[in-house]
Amino acid sequence: MTHPARWPAPLRWGVLILGSGLLALLLGRAHLSAALLLGPMIVAIAMAGAGSGVAIPRFVFIIAQSVVGMMMASKLPPALFPEIAQDWPIFAAGILSTVLGATSLGWLLSRTGMLPGTTAIWGSSPGAATVMTLMSESYGADMRLVAMMQYLRVACCAIAATAVVKLFGVTPSQSVVATPVETTLNALDIAKTLGLAIGAGLLGWRLKVPGGGLLTPLIAGVIYNLSGLGDIALPQPVLALSYAIVGWGIGMRFSREVLAHAARVLPLVLGMIVTLIALCAGFAALLVQFAGIEPVTAYLATSPGGADSVAIIAAGTQVDIPFVMAMQIGRFLLVLIAGPALARYLSRGTRS
């Protein structure tokens, strides 16, 4: 059989697309929230490691990032900000404790010299995994290793959160039902959303804004959301394709050398993740003790995993969902605003 490195381009694309779809389906059946991104990324990593990678045009990668940025903007509804303002001391304590814990562990990891430059800091940032991965490259981090750290943490945190829910015997919510796939999105809203996303993403790219392909659409989407000019509408096929392209773009950057290095640092990264989960459980216990927050609600609110996976777990249990999501997204906003400067400061003196 021909070695993968000698496969013609059509065969490579066929294997990439079919393999990505199959693995995404399997991961989705396992209730992994990032399946549409992880499946394509894992297949792309395997193909790149075998020498059978394909080139993802930068222009296409930027447009896919723009759609992801607009999707993140849709998760920041106007009602979120009054929720945070009402109980700001509790939110400030919960958000800052998780960010400081993750940042401290990332700084310690960077001092080992096993990860280059700001990679350890970005890989430890407790924000949305996709956003942190895509932004990291603009600030000198190795996107491939950041992706490995981020999604490994998301998976570990999802397992831990599910275990906590079962441990405390929280019953499934009777008010939550499966949300059907949206098939009646307004065509005008879809057109305006995609036009704004692509225009803002390309503008950020052309102006060389760090992470502009993602950040500029996110900011434009938040302003659009608050203005009341329309609703952010993204059809599921568009989101699925964008996630796949982002996954391929990240995965195709891997090589055998990078995979070997990732395997060497894996035990250290896993140790950091387990320590962070334990720290956040301690912060949740403080919220229970001093703020009277229900234990599972406090744990999910301080969980350092992705906001999307936490949202899925929270939606299926009887917890305070607005509190959980306000804490998660508030932390994401803080990392988004302060993360670049913090990573640059903390990584001084580490090897590039």
Side-chain angles (χ1 to χ4, degrees):
M1 185 176 180
T2 306
H3 191 277
R6 297 183 179 180
W7 287 353
L11 178 58
R12 296 186 186 194
W13 276 105
V15 171
L16 179 64
I17 293 170
L18 291 176
S20 298
L22 179 60
L23 187 54
L25 179 62
L26 293 175
L27 293 176
R29 292 284 178 86
H31 305 290
L32 194 61
S33 62
L36 293 175
L37 184 140
L38 286 180
M41 185 169 72
I42 292 170
V43 173
I45 290 172
M47 291 183 64
S52 59
V54 298
I56 307 298
R58 183 68 175 172
F59 175 82
V60 174
F61 189 56
I62 292 295
I63 290 178
Q65 287 186 50
S66 302
V67 174
V68 173
M70 193 61 66
M71 182 275 296
M72 291 303 303
S74 70
K75 305 297 183 184
L76 301 172
L80 171 71
F81 302 101
E83 172 79 16
I84 294 176
Q86 184 176 352
D87 295 312
W88 70 266
I90 295 175
F91 282 104
I95 290 170
L96 287 173
S97 59
T98 302
V99 171
L100 289 175
T103 303
S104 299
L105 289 172
W107 178 80
L108 290 174
L109 191 59
S110 71
R111 294 293 149 174
T112 65
M114 296 185 69
L115 291 166
T118 62
T119 299
I121 308 296
W122 279 103
S124 305
S125 297
T130 306
V131 178
M132 295 300 104
T133 300
L134 292 174
M135 284 180 59
S136 65
E137 186 181 36
S138 297
Y139 293 94
D142 188 323
M143 180 191 286
R144 301 162 297 188
L145 295 176
V146 170
M148 181 271 290
M149 295 174 66
Q150 285 284 343
Y151 290 108
L152 184 61
R153 192 190 72 240
V154 168
C156 291
C157 288
I159 294 170
T162 303
V164 167
V165 169
K166 292 185 179 296
L167 179 65
F168 280 86
V170 178
T171 55
S173 172
Q174 300 301 314
S175 62
V176 177
V177 294
T179 303
V181 176
E182 181 61 73
T183 58
T184 57
L185 293 176
N186 183 282
L188 180 59
D189 283 335
I190 293 175
K192 289 193 293 185
T193 298
L194 292 179
L196 180 61
I198 295 172
L202 293 178
L203 178 64
W205 180 37
R206 291 296 299 272
L207 295 178
K208 302 187 184 303
V209 176
L214 182 96
L215 282 183
T216 312
L218 192 154
I219 294 170
V222 170
I223 295 173
Y224 179 71
N225 228 357
L226 294 174
S227 69
L229 295 175
D231 297 322
I232 294 178
L234 293 168
Q236 288 296 326
V238 173
L239 281 172
L241 179 60
S242 298
Y243 274 125
I245 292 172
V246 168
W248 293 338
I250 295 171
M252 288 300 169
R253 296 165 187 254
F254 277 78
S255 63
R256 290 182 181 178
E257 292 75 15
V258 173
L259 288 172
H261 184 68
R264 286 196 298 271
V265 301
L266 183 60
L268 191 62
V269 171
L270 271 176
M272 182 273 293
I273 291 171
V274 171
T275 303
L276 179 60
I277 291 174
L279 277 176
C280 291
F283 299 146
L286 294 176
L287 286 178
V288 173
Q289 181 67 31
F290 296 104
I293 307 297
E294 188 271 329
V296 177
T297 296
Y299 180 82
L300 292 178
T302 58
S303 172
D308 50 359
S309 59
V310 171
I312 291 172
I313 296 170
T317 56
Q318 292 182 341
V319 297
D320 187 344
I321 296 177
F323 181 88
V324 171
M325 294 315 300
M327 186 82 80
Q328 287 283 337
I329 296 178
R331 188 182 71 217
F332 163 69
L333 290 174
L334 176 62
V335 172
L336 192 65
I337 295 169
L342 194 60
R344 191 180 299 111
Y345 175 77
L346 292 176
S347 62
R348 291 183 306 174
T350 61
R351 65 187 181 91
S352 61

